[in-house]
Amino acid sequence: APVPRSGSKYTISTVQAGDAELKLVLGDCFQGLRDLVEPESLDVIITSPPYNLGIEYTKYDDKQPREQYLAWIAEWAAIAKSRLAPDGSLFLNLGGKPSDPWVPFEVAGALREHYLLQNVLHWIKSITINKEAVGRDHPLKRDLTVGHYKPINSPRFVNECQEYIFHFTKTGKVKLDRLALGVPYEDKSNIGRWKAARKGLRCRGNCWFIPYATIQSRAKERPHPATFPPQLAEMCLKLHGRDRVRLACDPFLGLGSAALAAADLELGFIGFEIDDQYFRTAVRRLRDHLAARAEETDAASD
């Protein structure tokens, strides 16, 4: 069980994933980053802060005046920058809503004073592919819709099927492991045509289709109103370059999806969460995940 650190205002749960140590911290990330993280020690920050869209968190007011919210974001960004390595990456997941579509862009703008925007990625939650559009060379028998989305019942807006992942760095010149997420060339003749294509893979690009699990009961299965899937965090870590990640961080831990991704890649991790319910769920989720992974490993070795 998570235990309070001796003489500390933080409750910390520490687990091992291979040689990697993962720490989940119950406490505010503004002060926690200063107290528990060394300057320029974070190679990757992956996070999704509150969107200020009126989401019903249990211990955070998601309905702040816009200027106050953006000032809060800017303050956090400055603290995070002081802990980010010179060649580190900050992956910031943000969504909006049709009636207030400026939020992701205004948040990104609030970080402009501290970072350079190196890439804009799109988390595609649902997509429809028309049979006629792909042509006869692809074995698509009908129009295909994959993924899930939240339906919008309004004659003014279309359904929201994506969110943004803003990739910030300090210099705008951080080299990435683009082929860690590479996809095979459709036209195999490209492999022999270009030197960069010899591995048979090309850069995936900035549109990532990542479905998420649907739930029957939000209160029982996902007691948090806004989470991203572990696969999203894993893809960010791989894109930055797994071999260059000593320590990753999620300052707004939620239910711990980024921690699960770091555990699977056996990378050092620290995450902060102010809500004790979310924190304990994240700890349990991480421990259960590691236990299940260990069982799978044991079964495979038998």
Side-chain angles (χ1 to χ4, degrees):
V3 295
R5 186 172 174 173
S6 179
S8 171
K9 55 190 172 184
Y10 303 104
T11 297
I12 301 177
S13 176
T14 303
V15 300
Q16 290 290 134
D19 294 331
E21 182 180 75
L22 293 88
K23 291 184 178 181
L24 276 57
V25 182
L26 178 61
D28 180 70
C29 69
F30 280 60
Q31 191 60 43
L33 285 167
R34 295 186 178 102
D35 291 345
L36 303 178
V37 179
E38 293 294 326
E40 297 190 341
S41 65
L42 298 177
D43 299 296
V44 176
I45 299 173
I46 305 172
T47 197
S48 185
Y51 298 167
N52 205 46
L53 294 174
I55 294 174
E56 295 298 330
Y57 297 101
T58 58
K59 292 191 177 181
Y60 172 79
D61 180 10
D62 200 46
K63 300 177 182 178
Q64 300 180 50
R66 184 60 53 86
E67 289 186 3
Q68 179 180 332
Y69 168 70
L70 293 175
W72 178 81
I73 284 287
E75 180 184 355
W76 167 79
I79 298 170
K81 180 183 179 182
S82 71
R83 268 47 190 169
L84 188 66
D87 61 348
S89 288
L90 165 58
F91 294 96
L92 190 67
N93 168 226
L94 294 165
K97 63 181 180 179
S99 60
D100 194 358
W102 282 107
V103 171
F105 308 106
E106 291 180 344
V107 171
L111 271 68
R112 191 171 186 174
E113 178 183 350
H114 306 287
Y115 303 89
L116 291 176
L117 181 57
Q118 186 165 324
N119 288 284
V120 178
L121 309 169
H122 303 267
W123 168 21
I124 309 300
K125 299 179 178 181
S126 176
I127 189 169
T128 296
I129 304 172
N130 296 329
K131 178 180 180 297
E132 291 183 1
V134 300
R136 297 181 178 180
D137 294 337
H138 295 267
L140 197 61
K141 297 181 180 180
R142 57 180 176 82
D143 293 350
L144 179 66
T145 298
V146 289
H148 305 282
Y149 60 92
K150 183 178 180 179
I152 295 173
N153 297 316
S154 169
R156 297 184 294 152
F157 307 117
V158 296
N159 290 330
E160 288 277 357
C161 297
Q162 69 98 43
E163 291 189 12
Y164 297 96
I165 307 167
F166 295 108
H167 173 222
F168 291 100
T169 62
K170 291 184 174 181
T171 65
K173 299 178 181 179
V174 173
K175 292 184 178 180
L176 302 175
D177 189 357
R178 304 192 326 149
L179 294 188
L181 304 179
V183 295
Y185 280 96
E186 284 291 314
D187 183 354
K188 302 303 180 183
S189 67
N190 288 325
I191 298 174
R193 187 179 307 165
W194 300 314
K195 181 179 179 181
R198 288 179 181 172
K199 293 184 178 181
L201 298 174
R202 64 168 177 82
C203 172
R204 179 179 295 268
N206 67 347
C207 292
W208 298 355
F209 172 63
I210 308 173
Y212 59 91
T214 57
I215 57 175
Q216 299 300 318
S217 171
R218 180 176 296 273
K220 292 182 179 180
E221 299 179 46
R222 193 172 68 199
H224 188 287
T227 60
F228 57 73
Q231 186 183 354
L232 186 150
E234 183 174 332
M235 291 175 72
C236 291
L237 289 165
K238 288 181 176 179
L239 179 63
H240 177 80
R242 176 179 178 179
D243 293 341
R244 295 192 295 112
V245 180
R246 298 157 299 174
L247 183 62
C249 176
D250 186 347
F252 303 98
L253 183 67
L255 302 188
S257 290
L260 267 63
D264 282 342
L265 297 176
E266 298 187 358
L267 302 174
F269 178 86
I270 185 168
F272 297 89
E273 176 54 52
I274 61 172
D275 185 289
D276 55 352
Q277 179 186 357
Y278 299 161
F279 170 75
R280 293 182 183 280
T281 300
V283 171
R284 182 174 65 251
R285 189 182 180 203
L286 177 59
R287 292 187 182 278
D288 289 348
H289 181 75
L290 288 171
R293 197 177 72 162
E295 289 180 4
E296 291 176 1
T297 301
D298 291 342
S301 62
D302 290 342

